[in-house]
Amino acid sequence: MSYDPSPSHPYRPPGPSPSHDPSPYPYAYDTYPWAPQEAPEPAGRRPQRHAALGQHSDLRVLRSAYRWQRRVATLTALGYFLLFLILSAFAPSFMTSTVTDGLPTGLLLALIQVPVTWLAIALYEQTARRRVDPIADRIRRHAELDAKREGAR
């Protein structure tokens, strides 16, 4: 086993810290001297006028609009089916009663499930066109502009 007498951190002489050192402590040492240092910003670079796409509030708005869209469509289809199941389990006399000549209420409600599913699909498409797609298009345009700006630099 060998002994290494060199210190494990670079030595800095005591005294006030240089003005370019952001550390508030006069005797600050690099924790990881092998880690790459951040490059300073170039002097000719223009500041961005808007936030980067990853921190854009439109992404949060898009997520909430898409979440609302899924909930409306899902609750429409599953809500009706759940109503049908509850009526089948807890109101058998109502489900076996006839609506017209020989057509039981339960069969009529089961047949209505298909148009309700179509309604859920139509609601999903309508809310996509009205709420989700415009936000997604706006985010896409911002991303294209950001890519063009980065390409021009």
Side-chain angles (χ1 to χ4, degrees):
M1 197 177 262
S2 66
Y3 173 72
D4 186 12
S6 64
S8 62
H9 51 81
Y11 174 75
R12 292 193 186 170
S17 62
S19 61
H20 67 277
D21 190 4
S23 173
Y25 305 106
Y27 305 109
Y29 298 102
D30 293 334
T31 307
Y32 302 106
W34 58 85
Q37 300 294 323
E38 290 185 23
E41 287 288 322
R45 188 171 181 173
R46 295 179 299 179
Q48 290 184 344
R49 280 189 250 165
H50 55 76
L53 185 64
Q55 293 139 10
H56 211 279
S57 64
D58 280 346
L59 291 176
R60 285 190 296 274
V61 172
L62 179 64
R63 279 193 302 265
S64 66
Y66 183 59
R67 191 178 309 124
W68 186 86
Q69 175 194 21
R70 287 184 317 217
R71 285 180 186 161
V72 166
T74 302
L75 291 177
T76 301
L78 291 181
Y80 182 81
F81 185 68
L82 184 63
L83 175 69
F84 177 75
L85 289 179
I86 290 172
L87 287 175
S88 297
F90 296 108
S93 61
F94 172 72
M95 296 297 274
T96 55
S97 65
T98 58
V99 178
T100 60
D101 286 333
L103 181 65
T105 307
L107 180 61
L108 180 65
L109 291 177
L111 293 174
I112 291 176
Q113 181 67 41
V114 174
V116 168
T117 304
W118 290 340
L119 175 70
I121 293 170
L123 279 172
Y124 189 86
E125 289 178 355
Q126 180 188 16
T127 56
R129 271 187 249 113
R130 249 190 191 170
R131 297 186 176 177
V132 178
D133 289 347
I135 299 168
D137 290 340
R138 186 172 57 227
I139 290 173
R140 191 175 298 116
R141 282 193 307 269
H142 283 296
E144 289 172 359
L145 287 174
D146 287 344
K148 286 180 184 177
R149 287 182 190 140
E150 289 296 321
R153 290 183 188 180

